[in-house]
Amino acid sequence: MHMADALLSPAVGGTLWAATAATIAWCARSLRRELADLKIPLMGVLGAFVFAAQMINFTIPGTGSSGHLGGGLLLAILLGPCAGYITLASILTVQALFFADGGLLALGGNIFNLGVFTCFVAYPLIYRPLAGRQPTRMRLALATLLAAVVGLQLGSFGVVLQTSLSGLAELKLIPFALLMQPIHLAIGLVEGLVTAAVVLYLQRVSPEVLEAQPSDVRLGRVVPVVLLATMLMGGGLSYYASQHPDGLEWSLEEAVARGGESQPESGVHQGLAEVQDDTALLPDYALPGDDSGRSVGLAGLVGSLITLVTVWLLGRMLRCRAADPP
């Protein structure tokens, strides 16, 4: 559900950038008060894990479409909403800059849609009340599943609304929503099941992760497993990702086929596209000139590593600022 720049006007894209920047600043201030040392490596490895997981598109049967995990809810559950949001923002920034996945003008919107609705709506308003303080495994799974569906439904409708407000792609609000919402319902169900599986596993091997006690996290039980899963997904399973268009791409194709049209892009779009061309080391998760997709595993490993280092550095910066005297 990574929007391209062509879907957003500079006004809408700029507004979403401002909203996202304000949310990141608020999260950073909150984390400077609460971020524990042991949470920083956890942020890094979970960021790398979600980056790799997002590379694996799964086919939605009978639609010709595919989906992938967003990861915002998982990060919020395991890290808390502010740390989860900062981590997700880092993932999407790495994807946009180094892999040309999602536009630069649309980056604020992508962070907002995939992060705000999961970390600050679905997590506190759906997951936490349903899971309760001492959830059973069944209750935890159901809370995770429902929160994942709600978060993705809100995020996908955010895309519809922002695209309609921009007016660059003449897609009517209701017809576009009738394409986006059902396909992302299916994607949300899969994400909910996968997220629940990860959360239930970590509850068994290191339950303190879910109890928001970062000083007690047994990193030796969590980090090696997450890193191994990251390498397997990014360096191996990514070769077998579905080649069908994802839910947003499929919805756009269907909408255009039913009469929607795209308007010419502005100079802002073209300028940002040139910047992205210069920064993308592995555009579309492949070496330049590799049309076979053989280098996708390399892209997965490189991207996971860049994400891990980026998130770890951000965590250290926030922790150092927290330690500075007022």
Side-chain angles (χ1 to χ4, degrees), residues 90-325:
S90 302
I91 296 166
L92 295 174
T93 301
V94 168
Q95 290 172 337
L97 285 176
F98 298 111
F99 300 91
D101 188 5
L104 294 181
L105 177 63
L107 179 58
N110 287 328
I111 295 172
F112 191 92
N113 294 329
L114 287 169
V116 167
F117 292 120
T118 52
C119 295
F120 302 115
V121 179
Y123 172 74
L125 301 182
I126 305 296
Y127 173 82
R128 288 291 297 273
L130 290 179
R133 292 185 178 274
Q134 294 182 328
T136 63
R137 292 177 66 83
M138 179 59 71
R139 185 170 178 175
L140 190 63
L142 291 175
T144 303
L145 180 62
L146 184 57
V149 169
V150 170
L152 198 57
Q153 284 292 290
L154 292 173
S156 60
F157 187 73
V159 173
V160 173
L161 186 60
Q162 293 149 19
T163 301
S164 298
L165 289 173
S166 294
L168 296 184
E170 293 190 1
L171 306 172
K172 294 182 179 180
L173 180 66
I174 299 302
F176 191 27
L178 290 176
L179 290 167
M180 282 283 286
Q181 302 311 124
I183 199 69
H184 284 92
L185 173 60
I187 296 170
L189 288 170
V190 176
E191 173 157 11
L193 291 172
V194 173
T195 302
V198 174
V199 169
L200 289 173
Y201 170 77
L202 291 177
Q203 183 197 42
R204 182 170 61 84
V205 300
S206 186
E208 60 277 0
V209 174
L210 304 182
E211 296 167 2
Q213 300 292 337
S215 60
D216 297 330
V217 174
R218 297 181 178 88
L219 294 180
R221 294 184 179 183
V222 177
V223 171
V225 174
V226 176
L227 284 177
L228 177 60
T230 299
M231 289 187 289
L232 289 174
M233 289 189 298
L237 293 179
S238 57
Y239 285 103
Y240 305 101
S242 172
Q243 299 303 306
H244 293 304
D246 68 18
L248 173 56
E249 294 168 342
W250 176 86
S251 298
L252 287 170
E253 290 175 2
E254 289 291 315
V256 169
R258 298 178 188 184
E261 296 181 359
S262 297
Q263 300 296 320
E265 296 182 0
S266 69
V268 173
H269 293 90
Q270 295 169 0
L272 289 174
E274 291 175 2
V275 171
Q276 199 168 35
D277 287 341
D278 292 335
T279 62
L281 301 176
L282 295 165
D284 297 323
Y285 301 95
L287 290 170
D290 176 20
D291 297 327
S292 65
R294 294 176 183 173
S295 56
V296 66
L298 173 64
L301 294 175
V302 169
S304 298
L305 178 60
I306 293 174
T307 302
L308 190 155
V309 172
T310 299
V311 175
W312 182 84
L313 288 174
L314 284 173
R316 292 307 308 168
M317 289 171 58
L318 291 171
R319 192 72 181 94
C320 289
R321 291 193 65 179
D324 289 342

